[in-house]
Amino acid sequence: MNSALTPRSTQALHSVGVLRTWTDGQVVLSRGQPTSAAMLLVKGRLRVSVITHEGEEQLLRWMLPGEIAGLSSVFAEATNPADLVSLGSSQVLHIERSRLVDLIGRDPVVAVDLLRILGLRINQLFDTLADQGMHSLEQRVWAALERIAKFNSVKVADGAMLRVSQSDLAQAASASRQRVNQQLRQFQDQGLIRLGYRNIVLLRK
């Protein structure tokens, strides 16, 4: 599932956007904050999360280079639905609403590509909601692993390596790190995964 824009669309957006650099831990955009610009990640990673009513952070996903955020908020003139925080140094192209609307009015290919991205975001939202409805810890952890593998993994000889810490995985699965660690050990004993330093390999069946 390719959630990055095509090179053609990326080039078109660069012609109308402003490139900004963010440092590690810097908040690019806060949940509930009004925004008039979409954001295309050029370099680095952004952490996308929300804070629950209990005051705990819920990790939703990582934003990777080539992905764009803020489209729904910009088009609907609504507030941002999640916190975006820079992981390490990152470069983000900010595209103001007026310039974005003008571009898609002139370039239907870009417009269709942005619609594809919005469709993928809706599907990811339903996947997340379905995962949260799972009562079993085993189900939630495995669903989180599969969800992360879709957008934050690399192929290795015996499967797919997920670049994720157990702390981040625990947040994604809405469980404590200790319980998630125990569940991961069980998956490893069953031959489903291999645990490494800040990575998990989903073994090919």
Side-chain angles (χ1 to χ4, degrees), residues 63-117:
M63 186 174 167
L64 303 177
E67 294 186 288
I68 190 168
L71 290 175
S72 59
S73 298
V74 169
F75 290 143
E77 297 184 280
T79 57
N80 188 56
D83 295 319
L84 273 65
V85 179
S86 180
L87 289 177
S89 177
S90 63
Q91 291 183 341
V92 180
L93 187 73
H94 295 248
I95 310 106
E96 287 294 326
R97 184 181 191 278
S98 58
R99 292 193 172 193
L100 181 60
V101 170
D102 178 67
L103 174 63
I104 62 178
R106 293 185 284 106
D107 194 331
V109 175
V110 174
V112 170
D113 202 20
L114 293 176
L115 285 172
R116 177 180 65 85
I117 297 300

Side-chain angles (χ1 to χ4, degrees), residues 14-16 26 34 40 47 51 58 74 97 102 124 141 172 196-198 204:
H14 270 277
S15 69
V16 297
Q26 194 169 8
L40 173 66
R47 182 186 181 92
I51 303 299
Q58 174 70 55
V74 169
R97 184 181 191 278
D102 178 67
Q124 289 170 358
V141 173
Y197 177 68
R198 297 188 69 83
R204 189 177 295 112

Side-chain angles (χ1 to χ4, degrees), residues 29-41:
L29 194 62
S30 298
R31 174 178 168 83
Q33 178 181 345
T35 179
S36 61
M39 286 159 288
L40 173 66
L41 183 60

Side-chain angles (χ1 to χ4, degrees), residues 1 6 28 50 63 83 100 111 154 172 176:
M1 188 182 298
T6 64
V28 178
V50 296
M63 186 174 167
D83 295 319
L100 181 60
V154 293
S176 70

